[in-house]
């Protein structure tokens, strides 16, 4: 499974942004997919995950109510819609495929996409 994250950029506080994670490989749609992020000087943290079917989702406390994860298996793509962005959301965002559960267990990682939220 190979993953390609995109959609990052520079936005202002309160703006919205949609990240995309394009997967390749015949098993991509069989795995759960998650988004993680890593801010400068901090450890990578879990943001959100969706199961292979798209029927179950999980969010970190910081993402609940503002971010929405979804997937389109026909397009082999997972999305992260981020609304009401805050400066503390600034980070490199990574997508990962792996095993559904709490916690999510990543097996494959994509490269990151940088999100910068200005105040």
């Amino acid at each position: 499974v190979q993953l390609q994250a995109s959609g990052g950029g520079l936005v202002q506080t309160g703006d919205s942004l949609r990240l995309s994670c394009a997967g390749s490989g015949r098993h991509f749609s069989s795995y759960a997919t998650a988004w993680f992020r890593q801010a400068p000087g901090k450890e990578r943290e879990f943001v959100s995950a969706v199961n292979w079917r798209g029927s179950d989702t999980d969010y970190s406390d910081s993402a609940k109510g503002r971010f929405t994860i979804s997937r389109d298996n026909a397009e082999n793509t997972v999305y992260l819609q981020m609304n009401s962005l805050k400066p503390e959301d600034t980070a490199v965002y990574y997508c990962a495929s792996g095993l559904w559960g709490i916690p999510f267990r990543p097996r494959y990682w994509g490269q990151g996409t940088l999100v910068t939220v200005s105040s």
Side-chain angles (χ1 to χ4, degrees), residues 14-116:
D15 284 351
S16 297
L17 206 57
R18 190 177 78 160
L19 305 183
S20 298
C21 176
S24 61
R26 63 191 183 104
H27 295 299
F28 172 75
S29 60
S30 300
Y31 282 105
T33 304
W35 288 95
F36 290 76
R37 67 186 184 186
Q38 187 167 19
K42 295 188 176 181
E43 293 186 353
R44 190 174 298 188
E45 64 175 3
F46 171 81
V47 176
S48 181
V50 60
N51 70 344
W52 70 272
R53 195 182 306 176
S55 57
D56 285 332
T57 57
D58 186 28
Y59 295 94
S60 66
D61 287 343
S62 62
K64 283 178 185 175
R66 298 188 300 127
F67 295 1
T68 302
I69 192 170
S70 62
R71 71 186 300 153
D72 182 344
N73 284 340
E75 297 292 331
N76 272 4
T77 303
V78 171
Y79 302 99
L80 184 68
Q81 177 67 43
M82 304 187 294
N83 299 328
S84 302
L85 284 163
K86 306 173 182 179
E88 50 263 46
D89 294 317
T90 295
V92 178
Y93 284 71
Y94 298 89
C95 61
S97 285
L99 301 180
W100 174 254
I102 299 176
F104 174 85
R105 289 162 286 174
R107 283 192 172 179
Y108 306 97
W109 290 92
Q111 95 297 347
T113 186
L114 177 62
V115 173
T116 304

Side-chain angles (χ1 to χ4, degrees), residues 10-16 84-87 116-119:
L10 173 62
V11 297
Q12 295 184 334
T13 298
D15 284 351
S16 297
S84 302
L85 284 163
K86 306 173 182 179
T116 304
V117 185
S118 64
S119 56

